[in-house]
Amino acid sequence: MADDEITVPANYTAGLFDISGRVAVVTGAGSGLGAAIAIGYAQLGVTVVLADINAAGMAATLATITEQGGKAVAAELDVTKRDRCFDLARKVKADHGSVDILVNSAGSAFRSPAEEFPEDKFNFILDLNLKGTYFCCQAFGNAMLAQGRGSIINLASIGSFNAYPWASAYLASKGGVLQMTKALALEWRDRGVRVNGIGPTLMESPLTKAAASRSSITADFIKARMLRPRLGLPRELIGTAVFLASDASELVTGHIVMCDDGYLTA
């Protein structure tokens, strides 16, 4: 290796976290974590494609981005429909010239003891959280592979690693997201596409509130094991999402970056 390859050139760090001018697709952008990441990207000059089945939520996210001077478009998408994921990937590539970043944030949860877990709810959660993530990785991953570059960021969970009660389907789906992320990273790294994930702690979000309305057993279990007695805020994931989308994480692939406030250390 030549000496100039192991030195740090002048101004090398200036552009490491610069993602301005890139195109990002964010699923689940109509609320919660997806909305926060989409708004954060737009603040940095990214053109954001908001993808969700929640039209009203997308409109609210779009309005915020527009008010703040950012660029975004809304695209209705049911991530459980593989053909629609591919259709949107082709449209984004045609309209914007590239697909640089994909954030898979669309997901759901349902609380029930395992022995009573309803089949329809189990299927819904696995379809949305796991299959939906996989279909989007396939669709937008193909576009990234064709252009020889891209960063995919999947929303995992503390539940990808640790179990908690009344969440068996959710845990199964997020464990699958972990292994899927590793598998795709392994297959695609030498073709220019990195695949990583973010593992949040229990968050303040509409999903958390909706799940808690059925039972507090899951949240109570998690809260009792937190190092600090507070939930994470959606905006606290933006920095990690920027890092994983940027050139600063060039050597990072196949990992879940935990934003768990130390939960897994306990």
Side-chain angles (χ1 to χ4, degrees), residues 121-164:
K121 295 297 185 182
F122 184 90
N123 290 338
F124 172 73
I125 291 170
L126 267 291
D127 282 350
L128 179 56
N129 295 6
L130 189 56
K131 284 175 61 177
T133 297
Y134 190 73
F135 291 160
C136 286
C137 285
Q138 281 189 315
F140 294 96
N142 267 282
M144 292 177 178
L145 290 167
Q147 66 195 20
R149 69 185 188 281
S151 176
I152 295 174
I153 304 165
N154 298 323
L155 265 293
S157 168
I158 54 174
S160 299
F161 301 89
N162 283 6
Y164 34 80

Side-chain angles (χ1 to χ4, degrees), residues 160-189:
S160 299
F161 301 89
N162 283 6
Y164 34 80
W166 283 45
S168 52
Y170 181 83
L171 296 172
S173 71
K174 292 302 183 178
V177 168
L178 165 64
Q179 288 297 89
M180 178 201 310
T181 298
K182 290 183 176 182
L184 298 181
L186 179 67
E187 291 192 34
W188 294 348
R189 184 62 187 100

Side-chain angles (χ1 to χ4, degrees), residues 76-95:
E76 186 174 343
L77 176 66
D78 181 347
V79 298
T80 69
K81 308 298 184 185
R82 185 176 185 272
D83 57 340
R84 295 181 187 176
C85 296
F86 275 83
D87 287 344
L88 181 58
R90 285 189 287 267
K91 179 172 174 52
V92 173
K93 187 69 180 286
D95 290 350

Side-chain angles (χ1 to χ4, degrees), residues 21-83:
R22 300 186 188 184
V23 177
V25 176
V26 181
T27 73
S31 65
L33 312 186
I37 292 171
I39 293 167
Y41 280 164
Q43 289 180 357
L44 293 176
V46 175
T47 297
V48 185
V49 178
L50 312 172
D52 206 321
I53 59 172
N54 178 2
M58 279 196 298
T61 304
L62 180 60
T64 298
I65 290 173
T66 302
E67 289 168 4
Q68 294 181 357
K71 298 179 182 178
V73 295
E76 186 174 343
L77 176 66
D78 181 347
V79 298
T80 69
K81 308 298 184 185
R82 185 176 185 272
D83 57 340

